[in-house]
Amino acid sequence: MMALSDVALCARALVMIGAAPISSFEEDVAEAEIARMLYPTVRDGMLAGYPWRFAGRGAWLSRLADEDASVSPKDCSTLFALPRDFIRLLSLEHEGGKIAQFELRDQAVQVAGDSAYLSYVARLPEGSFPAWFDLALMARLAAEFCLPLTESSTRAEYLFKRAEDQLREARLADAQQSTPHAIEDFSLISARG
């Protein structure tokens, strides 16, 4: 399957519900208006809804200047800027290990300490989505587009069930993209001896 753009993903989802495909979000038709309004939210929701391996990224965060940080002087925490492509936080670490306490703020994260390494899910260009994620996204878009375009709640309900099945398959495919993590330092395993 070739890499699909945002418009191509929406066009295929529209075909799935029997609607006319679009070639631009700027077309003066209901299909384009609905796709333009719903697509970014559905895409970001699907990316944020699961710790996708294909969208996983990591970065040392940049400290925000003191004037940018709305932190009281008594507070010994630091505000770090989140990457522009940030969708979902997976973990925060520093040289000493995991950071257990943090607070997400508008495009920033507040932590105690002088450094922070962020593992996160990123908003990627559509052309870098694997085929199995494209299929799940198209199924979800078809479900979302169905009610406003066809007014058929029965059909929309069916499409949402189908989208959930596609999402399960995509999660399974994504999980198979790397070696499973071993369970280490688990008290029940060590208790067995």
Side-chain angles (χ1 to χ4, degrees), residues 110-130:
Q110 183 177 349
V111 301
D114 293 331
S115 65
Y117 183 83
L118 173 71
S119 293
Y120 68 103
V121 173
R123 179 183 296 110
L124 302 177
E126 283 78 3
S128 64
F129 293 164

Side-chain angles (χ1 to χ4, degrees), residues 102-114:
F102 59 87
E103 182 180 341
L104 282 175
R105 296 183 169 203
D106 185 39
Q107 294 301 307
V109 63
Q110 183 177 349
V111 301
D114 293 331

Side-chain angles (χ1 to χ4, degrees), residues 59-66 68-71 76-83 86 89 92-95 99 101-118:
W60 284 101
L61 300 180
S62 300
R63 186 181 196 153
L64 288 173
D66 290 336
D68 294 339
S70 56
V71 180
C76 60
S77 61
T78 308
L79 205 55
F80 294 95
L82 293 171
F86 173 83
L89 187 144
L92 279 168
E93 299 177 27
H94 52 70
E95 287 84 4
I99 297 174
Q101 293 185 352
F102 59 87
E103 182 180 341
L104 282 175
R105 296 183 169 203
D106 185 39
Q107 294 301 307
V109 63
Q110 183 177 349
V111 301
D114 293 331
S115 65
Y117 183 83
L118 173 71

Side-chain angles (χ1 to χ4, degrees), residues 146-191:
C146 185
L147 196 56
L149 289 173
T150 69
E151 297 182 8
S152 172
S153 59
T154 306
R155 194 170 182 194
E157 196 174 308
Y158 164 76
L159 289 169
F160 274 109
K161 281 183 119 162
R162 188 168 168 223
E164 283 302 313
D165 292 342
Q166 284 287 342
L167 181 59
R168 268 192 297 283
E169 288 180 29
R171 286 178 173 173
L172 178 61
D174 188 68
Q176 294 171 344
Q177 300 306 305
S178 67
T179 307
H181 299 289
I183 299 174
E184 297 174 14
D185 297 329
F186 188 58
S187 60
L188 292 177
I189 292 174
S190 59

